[in-house]
Amino acid sequence: MTEAFIARGDTVVGCGRSEVELKKMREEFGESPHRFFQIDVTEDTSVEVLCEQTVDTVGIPNLVLNNAGVINESGPLWDISDDEFTEVMEVNVKGTVSVIRHIVPYMIDSGKAGVIVNFSSGWGRSTSPEVAPYCASKWAIEGLTQALAQELPVNLGTVALNPGIIDTELLRSCFGPSSANYPNAKEWARTAVPFLVNLAPSDNGKSLTAP
């Protein structure tokens, strides 16, 4: 997505936990006007600093993508440890809420149009065995997005987005070799990014699926 947004002329601010991968992005896309921060979205204070720095250096965003996500190691729910369950919920749900908590007030105060996209999943609208924690986290995303939609002012909208099935490391952990039958992230972004930039506050509260 970063590559596709920048190719459009957009300014991108992103974050992640891997400094190695972030360094590669800085080398490829430069450090200005784009920004790539090393943070863990489960750390609320770090998210607060990220949002402050984004507004100070780049400005108030008109499109926020909450797409940080992890999945549990496949197995029945009773075999999932407390630590593993907690990580899934903290990254997928708490991380999303932290970003909303710290960036949305700026967006409200600006009065400008903006959209918050919370990445859901097909498993946020259906279920499968051995991925119960992930399903729970994405069903939570669907619910909190609908509730948030009822709270936002008219200049803002939020949607829950099922990105579809993408060949990523996360998918390979549960689909195995069959993941190769699906588009990779770069292929997916070619159609997803134009779809994302056309979202508007009038889409508020929708549960959407990327093309």
Side-chain angles (χ1 to χ4, degrees), residues 44-182:
D44 187 67
T45 301
S46 297
V47 175
E48 182 178 15
V49 171
L50 166 68
C51 294
E52 289 175 350
Q53 291 181 343
T54 297
V55 171
D56 288 344
T57 60
V58 177
I60 296 170
N62 58 11
L63 180 63
V64 175
L65 306 178
N66 285 310
N67 68 326
V70 297
I71 196 168
N72 58 284
E73 184 176 347
S74 296
L77 182 58
W78 55 87
D79 282 346
I80 306 299
S81 70
D82 180 68
D83 286 346
E84 187 170 14
F85 184 86
T86 297
E87 181 186 23
V88 171
M89 299 303 289
E90 288 200 340
V91 173
N92 298 3
V93 182
K94 181 176 178 287
T96 295
V97 173
S98 287
V99 172
I100 291 167
R101 177 183 297 118
H102 295 299
I103 200 63
V104 165
Y106 291 111
M107 299 172 76
I108 292 173
D109 289 344
S110 76
K112 298 178 181 178
V115 176
I116 303 101
V117 179
N118 300 322
F119 273 57
S120 180
S121 170
W123 282 333
R125 303 166 192 173
S126 64
T127 57
S128 292
E130 300 197 335
V131 286
Y134 185 79
C135 291
S137 73
K138 293 305 183 179
W139 280 70
I141 290 296
E142 293 281 337
L144 74 83
T145 300
Q146 290 185 31
L148 175 63
Q150 297 170 342
E151 300 168 348
L152 292 174
V154 294
N155 64 301
L156 299 180
T158 184
V159 302
L161 180 73
N162 170 16
I165 304 176
I166 311 165
D167 181 14
T168 61
E169 183 178 346
L170 186 152
L171 186 72
R172 289 190 288 272
S173 73
C174 49
F175 273 40
S178 65
S179 299
N181 297 325
Y182 300 96

